[in-house]
Amino acid sequence: MVHSEPQCLDYFSGGVPPLLIIDGILDDLSQTIDRESAGISRINELCLIGLVSYSEAFFKDQFAAILNIEPTLVSGLMKAGYDALIDPVALLAYQDYWGSKLGFLIAEKHDFGTWKKVNGLFNATLGISPFSKDDAKKFDSLLRDRNLLVHHGGVFTTKYLEQKKIPDQNGNAHTPFWGSLVVTASYLDEQLAFVRELTAKTATQACKRLKQIDEVKVSKSEQKNHAIDAFMWKMSEESFDETIDD
C-alpha cells in the first residue's frame, strides 16, 4: 500500500517511539540484575554500563524525532551556534519523505553523553531542559561510575575518589588503585528509577511543547499528531495499539 505521507512510526528511529524503547529496556535490565551477589558482580557492572548507553540513545532518538516532526526547529539550532548542516546527497535516499528523516541526520552529528549537551540541544530546539539541577548531579555521579568501569575496570582512581568521597566499610577513605566499585542491586534499582522518571519527564515536556507550537501554526497532519502522542507510549500501556491500526 502506498501512503501519501509518512506514517506515525516513520518519524522514529527503528520505527519505535524512544520512551517505549527505554521503558522496555529498563524492565529488561531490572530482570537481569544479580540480586544474590554481596560483592563484585560483573552482571551488575554491565547493567550499569548499559543503562548509561541506552539513556544516551534515548535522548538522541527523542531529539531526532522532534526535528523529524517539526523540521522548522532546525533554525533554533542554527541561531544557537549548533552544527545543523547536512550532506544533501544523504537526503536523496529518502526521496519525497526527506523532511521526516532530517532529525536523524542532524542528531548523529552531536554528542548526547552529558547532561549539559542534552540540555543545550533540547533548549535550542524546544526551549526545554530535560535535566534539572538535581538531575544533573545524579547523572554526573552515575556517569562517573560508568566511566570508572569502562576505563579503569572499576578500580578506584585518585580523581574518582576525590569527586565521590566514598568511605569504606569502616568509614575510612579508600586507597586509590586498591579498592573497587561494587555495583549493588539496590544501587541499580535506584538508578533505573531515576532514568525512568527522567526519560518520562523529557518525553512529556517534548510532547507538551510540540503541541503548544502547533497551536500557533497550521495544523499538523493526522500522522504527525499521532507521532507526538506516541512520545508518551510505555510498555505498561496499550494505548498505542489503536494508533498503529489507524
Side-chain angles (χ1 to χ4, degrees), residues 113-126:
T114 69
W115 68 265
K116 288 184 180 180
K117 293 176 179 177
V118 170
N119 274 5
L121 288 163
F122 276 75
N123 189 265
T125 50
L126 279 182

Side-chain angles (χ1 to χ4, degrees), residues 70-145:
E70 188 54 70
T72 61
L73 294 175
V74 172
S75 62
L77 282 178
M78 300 290 285
K79 291 178 181 178
Y82 286 99
D83 181 6
L85 299 178
I86 58 175
D87 181 357
V89 175
L91 297 177
L92 296 179
Y94 301 117
Q95 299 181 16
D96 293 340
Y97 297 150
W98 65 267
S100 64
K101 308 300 181 182
L102 192 66
F104 296 141
L105 299 174
I106 294 177
E108 68 180 10
K109 297 170 69 71
H110 296 284
D111 181 359
F112 293 82
T114 69
W115 68 265
K116 288 184 180 180
K117 293 176 179 177
V118 170
N119 274 5
L121 288 163
F122 276 75
N123 189 265
T125 50
L126 279 182
I128 63 175
S129 298
F131 290 85
S132 66
K133 290 183 177 179
D134 287 340
D135 293 334
K137 291 179 181 179
K138 291 179 181 178
F139 195 77
D140 271 345
S141 181
L142 174 60
L143 193 58
R144 277 193 288 269
D145 289 345

Side-chain angles (χ1 to χ4, degrees), residues 8-9 29 37 39 48 52 103 119 126 132 144 150-151 167 205 232:
C8 168
L9 299 182
L29 289 177
S37 176
L48 188 147
V52 175
N119 274 5
L126 279 182
S132 66
R144 277 193 288 269
V150 171
H151 301 297
Q205 289 177 337
M232 306 304 300

